[in-house]
Structure formats: structure tokens, C-alpha cells
Amino acid sequence: MTSSLLSLSNLITSSVIALEKACADANLPFPSLDEPFSHASEAFRANPAAEEATKVIAAAAHQLMVMVLPPSAALYNLISGQFKTAALRVCLEASVTEILREGGPQGMHVKDIAAKANIDSEELGGLLCSLFFCRCFLLKTTASTYLATHHVYKEVLPDVFANNRVSSMLDTGKAVHEIHASPENKHENTPGFAAIAGHHLDEVFKSSTYLWENMSDPTTANSLEANETPLNRAFNLTGTFWTLLGQPDQAYRQRRFGIGMKGVAALEPADAILKAFDWNSLPKDSVVVDVGGGVGASSLTLAKNVPDIRIVVQDLPAVIGEGTIPVCVKIDPSHTKLTMPFKFWFKQMPDALASGQVTLQDTMSKRVLTWYHEAHDFFTPQPIKNASVFLLKQIMHDWSDPYAVKILTQLRQAAQPDTKLILIDSVMPFACHDPSADDGKGIPGAVPKEAPNPLLANYGVANELSYIADLTMLVLFNSQERTVKHLSEMLHSTGWRLTKVIRDHAAGSFLQPVEAVPII
């Protein structure tokens, strides 16, 4: 009988062979860890065999590591998570990745890095070198050997560091002198991944440290309110996360979060939103409402690829409304009071707003661009009654069930018999085999693909992003990601019927669109 160790080893070997074959067949080299990230280097993942192989390798390697390490060491890899977070935040805020990019592949001495970053070289050196728990307990000079052991940055020579594929993800692409001259604009006009990393290393991390206090306090232990969260304790806040972002002294966090949403989108394949629904099946001039759509990153892809539909992007005044201009007034892209969404659309697709193909709708203050709708928030009646599709991308997971039910109810009351509802969040799988699956309903995509034995059914760490999202929703909003069964029951209670779950295994997506129709 094959041991678990050997089974895992065999899975790794066979999957590595399959991965290298897939790359060779497509004439795509497997990217080196020592080279900076580029979108082109990810092309091999479009091959389903290659994507499956990477998931199996990652899941098996991690499971094998946990099995062979002493249990104390395996546990401390988790216990030490706060040190990893702290070290990464120092490097992100100090623009270490940008400094190393300008320093070149030969690397820079830690004293030179620290001089450019204006921080202590001994403390920084320790953070860069190790990123492994056994050295984080030592003092300054040795405590700084922390990130390279986890393959974030590369130690080229003693105390000399360079970027690698992982650390380059924190690169804003900006010059160091530009960041120093205007640190509050560090993330402006960037791809957004560094911004979302900053959000997680800041608000999310600080909030997570109060999770136990929130769960053990009788006044908040069972709360489903978005203003009784670990975030509220961490920031001494009485309102919600959105209240925090709306405060005048939180303008940097607000802008960073908005830009970071583009970074989240970048974690998905560029065409992911196009696979969420058969958009080309919609008749010309069909109305798609992007509910809580932020700056409209998802809608931009739709507008570019499905030009015959009309799109309404709805969001809060802090995102859409501040600085908007009266309806029917000619808009100058250089207008100093234009907010991020308008600047975003003028840069990416300037004709969309002027033509009426896209509308940005403030959900609270009755201000819109181009054609007019009554303002609303999504807990009150939805004003658009002729929508062909209501699209909610990473919205439902922000709200606990009582509030999610209110949103779905308002949309159902505004829906036509043929309106489609598309919810895009992480549909949570179990770590074990789920014998109940979709309870025999035969809903396409409801049953996830399971990993081969002896791996965890959910592919373990290869699918960890879904669980990170789930815990993020808990500490910020008292909410969660949901299973298929949970979603189906909630939809049914509000007059919707779950009809499909779209699982794009080839793309390695951590988001799974769910399609529903009105119950007639």
C-alpha cells in the first residue's frame, strides 16, 4: 500500500511533468522565480492542464511540508503570520520594491536601500533576509533576515538584495523620487495590486487582531451588524468600514481602496467578467446595472467588448458623487473636481460617458452623468425597472444575511420576468468531500471539481484566496463568502432561483459567478 508521503511525491512528480509538457507544447517557458513578474509570463495558465498541474503541485507540496515538519514548526509557521505581515508592510510603505527595481538585478546593499527609504538599515536588513519564524525572535540585525527565506525578495550576496517574481508584485511602477515627493499619491495611476496589498496589510490586518475580542464579547459575539466588527475595535469606530473611508482624514485610505479594487480585478483573468454571463445574448440597448460597481472596472471590460448594451454603474457618493457636474453640462476631462471614476473613464474609454453608453450613478445624492435616474441606495427600491441584468461583483459578501436579503429583495421587486441576476463572489468549497453536493438539483457548476487523493478536496493552499476573502469579510463587515447551498437558500427566500454556477477552472479564478432568475 502506497504511503501518503509517496503518494504526494508521485503527484508532484507527475504534475511537474505535465506542467513542463504543457509549457513546451505551447512554446511558453515556465517563469523563473528570480525574474520580475510580467503578465506575459502567466500565459501558460490559460492551458487547463497546466493550471490543474500548478494547483496539484502547490497543494501537494504544502501538505508534504506540513507532514514532514515537526508539528511545532508547522504551527509556528502560522503563529508567526503577524511578523510576515509586519515585514511586508514595512517594505511596501518604504517602497523597497521600487528602490530595488531602480537598483537593478545585481541588487543593493541593505544600507543603501535603507538610505533611500529613510529607515534604519539594521532593522530593514533583518526584515528582508529571513521571513522565517526561527529568526524573527532575534534582535534587530538578525531579526531583519525575514522575507527572503519565504522567497519574497532575493539575497544575492550577504546583505545585498534584489527583487524577484513575488516581490515585484508590490511594485507601483513609479520612480522612487516621485513617491517621496508625493507619498499620498503613491497608488494613483497604478495597476492596483500594491494598493490592495496595502489595504490588507493595514486595515484588514489591524482589524483581524481584534477578532477574538469581538467574538468573546457578549455584546458583539453574535452580531451581524456591519458597525460591530473587529474593525470597529481596531479603529475605535462607531460606523462601518464605508464610514471610515468617508472621513475627511481618511482620504488616502479611500483612494487606495478604490485603486485596490482594480488590483483585485487583476488577480482574475482579463476576460473573467466576459465569462460570467452570455452577454452577447442580450438584445441591443439592453440595460446592465452594475450595482455597487465602484469606478466601473468590470463595466469597462463589458463596454469595450459588448458595445451594444447600456451600462449603469451605481455606487456611493464617496466613490461616484463627490465633484460630479450637473447633467447635460459639457464635461472637460481636465476639470479639477472630477472624481476617480470620471478620470478613470476619461482615460480608458472617453466616449462612453458622452455617448450615454455608460452612466455613473450616485446612489444617494441624485447626481448622475448623461441620462437621469432617481438616486437610491441598494437597501431601498431599485429605480431601474427595465434591467436585463443586475450585476453585483463582490458586493453580497460585504453584507451579512439579513442585509443581503434586503438587497436581493429590492432587486427582485424591480426585476422583469426575464431579468438575470449575476452575483460574483467566492463560492466556498469544503476541505473534505461533500456528499450532499447540490442535493441532487442538477444545477450546472454547483458541484466543484475535487482534488485527487490524498489532497484536500478543495486543493488546499492553492485555493486559499477564497478563504482569505471570507475572513476579510468577517473582520470588516461581520459577513462572509457563502457555499452553494447557502446562496441557493438565500436566493430562494427572496424570490430568485439559482440556475448556474460558472467555474472557470482553466483560469484559476478565485471568484465564481452565480446566475439566478426570478421565481415566477
Side-chain angles (χ1 to χ4, degrees):
M1 187 173 183
T2 305
S3 70
S4 294
L5 286 174
L6 191 56
S7 294
L8 291 168
S9 176
N10 290 339
L11 272 176
I12 292 172
T13 299
S14 61
S15 297
V16 168
I17 292 171
L19 177 57
E20 291 194 332
K21 182 180 185 303
C23 290
D25 290 346
N27 196 27
L28 294 169
F30 188 79
S32 168
L33 181 59
D34 294 334
E35 297 296 323
F37 166 82
S38 70
H39 289 289
S41 69
E42 291 287 282
F44 73 93
R45 297 189 194 277
N47 183 321
E51 174 62 21
E52 174 68 11
T54 61
K55 291 169 62 177
V56 171
I57 292 167
H62 184 263
Q63 190 167 327
L64 192 61
M65 180 194 77
V66 172
M67 288 177 66
V68 300
L69 280 176
S72 57
L75 184 59
Y76 258 90
N77 268 319
L78 293 173
I79 291 173
S80 64
Q82 77 275 18
F83 296 122
K84 300 176 179 69
T85 302
L88 284 167
R89 188 177 181 213
V90 167
C91 291
L92 175 66
E93 300 294 350
S95 302
V96 169
T97 295
E98 289 87 350
I99 291 170
L100 290 176
R101 187 227 313 138
E102 293 185 357
Q106 73 277 6
M108 292 180 65
H109 194 278
V110 66
K111 290 185 178 180
D112 297 322
I113 302 169
K116 284 185 173 291
N118 297 319
I119 57 177
D120 184 275
S121 63
E122 291 186 350
E123 293 179 351
L124 177 63
L127 293 173
L128 287 169
C129 291
S130 171
L131 204 67
F132 189 59
F133 79 95
C134 64
R135 299 190 68 176
C136 74
F137 297 113
L138 306 179
L139 297 175
K140 286 190 175 181
T141 54
T142 51
S144 57
T145 55
Y146 198 44
L147 286 173
T149 300
H150 277 266
H151 305 287
V152 183
Y153 302 105
K154 178 183 179 181
E155 191 167 17
V156 181
L157 293 169
D159 291 332
V160 175
F161 298 92
N163 278 324
N164 67 359
R165 183 172 170 80
V166 180
S167 67
S168 69
M169 295 297 296
L170 298 178
D171 194 351
T172 60
K174 292 189 172 184
V176 175
H177 71 83
E178 182 184 355
I179 295 173
H180 286 172
S182 182
E184 70 278 7
N185 292 316
K186 176 175 181 174
H187 298 289
E188 301 292 333
N189 301 312
T190 69
F193 187 84
I196 197 62
H199 161 67
H200 274 268
L201 294 170
D202 183 9
E203 297 101 294
V204 177
F205 169 61
K206 291 173 182 175
S207 300
S208 67
T209 62
Y210 287 89
L211 179 57
W212 170 245
E213 285 75 10
N214 219 60
M215 293 179 67
S216 59
D217 185 339
T219 63
T220 56
N222 298 309
S223 176
L224 296 176
E225 299 299 321
N227 64 344
E228 295 180 345
T229 69
L231 171 86
N232 292 94
R233 291 177 183 269
F235 288 86
N236 193 27
L237 181 71
T238 57
T240 67
F241 174 69
W242 309 116
T243 306
L244 174 69
L245 294 190
Q247 294 175 358
D249 62 346
Q250 298 297 320
Y252 174 74
R253 282 188 170 118
Q254 181 193 117
R255 292 199 308 271
R256 182 179 64 185
F257 181 78
I259 296 165
M261 290 299 97
K262 294 193 295 178
V264 172
L267 293 174
E268 289 246 292
D271 62 348
I273 190 66
L274 301 179
K275 297 179 180 180
F277 179 71
D278 183 8
W279 302 103
N280 289 315
S281 68
L282 297 175
K284 184 178 180 180
D285 291 329
S286 293
V287 176
V288 174
V289 184
D290 189 356
V291 182
V295 300
S298 295
S299 289
L300 175 68
T301 302
L302 288 181
K304 286 182 175 179
N305 289 275
V306 195
D308 289 339
I309 62 175
R310 296 163 71 190
I311 301 171
V312 182
V313 182
Q314 297 176 332
D315 215 302
L316 295 171
V319 179
I320 296 289
E322 297 295 331
T324 58
I325 325 176
V327 181
C328 299
V329 174
K330 180 176 174 60
I331 297 176
D332 178 358
S334 65
H335 196 290
T336 57
K337 292 186 178 181
L338 284 178
T339 51
M340 187 190 307
F342 289 94
K343 293 176 182 177
F344 173 75
W345 282 93
F346 276 125
K347 179 180 179 181
Q348 299 290 337
M349 199 173 178
D351 294 337
L353 299 180
S355 68
Q357 180 188 4
V358 174
T359 296
L360 305 182
Q361 181 179 359
D362 177 327
T363 59
M364 295 182 69
S365 68
K366 295 189 178 182
R367 291 178 296 186
V368 301
L369 181 65
T370 66
W371 43 291
Y372 178 81
H373 292 291
E374 287 295 323
H376 89 293
D377 70 62
F378 46 45
F379 295 118
T380 60
Q382 165 64 236
I384 300 180
K385 308 296 185 182
N386 63 334
S388 295
V389 177
F390 288 122
L391 170 66
L392 290 84
K393 186 173 186 288
Q394 293 183 286
I395 299 300
M396 299 303 295
H397 70 175
D398 288 347
W399 300 97
S400 59
D401 282 2
Y403 292 95
V405 164
K406 291 179 182 179
I407 296 170
L408 293 173
T409 299
Q410 298 298 345
L411 295 177
R412 176 61 186 91
Q413 291 175 355
Q416 299 297 312
D418 59 350
T419 298
K420 300 294 192 299
L421 174 69
I422 307 296
L423 309 179
I424 306 180
D425 287 308
S426 293
V427 179
M428 300 301 292
F430 296 98
C432 63
H433 171 67
D434 178 17
S436 66
D438 69 339
D439 293 326
K441 295 178 181 177
I443 299 171
V447 181
K449 180 180 180 181
E450 294 185 352
N453 285 325
L455 300 180
L456 298 176
N458 62 356
Y459 288 85
V461 295
N463 278 338
E464 190 173 6
L465 279 176
S466 296
Y467 299 92
I468 292 171
D470 188 35
L471 288 168
T472 299
M473 295 307 105
L474 173 62
V475 301
L476 296 188
F477 303 110
N478 266 337
S479 189
Q480 64 188 117
E481 306 289 351
R482 297 173 172 92
T483 64
V484 169
K485 184 177 181 181
H486 189 164
L487 280 169
S488 180
E489 291 174 349
M490 188 167 64
L491 285 164
H492 192 272
S493 72
T494 57
W496 296 95
R497 177 170 59 85
L498 177 64
T499 57
K500 186 186 299 184
V501 180
I502 295 91
R503 299 183 185 273
D504 187 7
H505 296 292
S509 173
F510 70 100
L511 298 176
Q512 295 80 40
V514 168
E515 183 177 319
V517 298
I519 298 173
I520 306 301

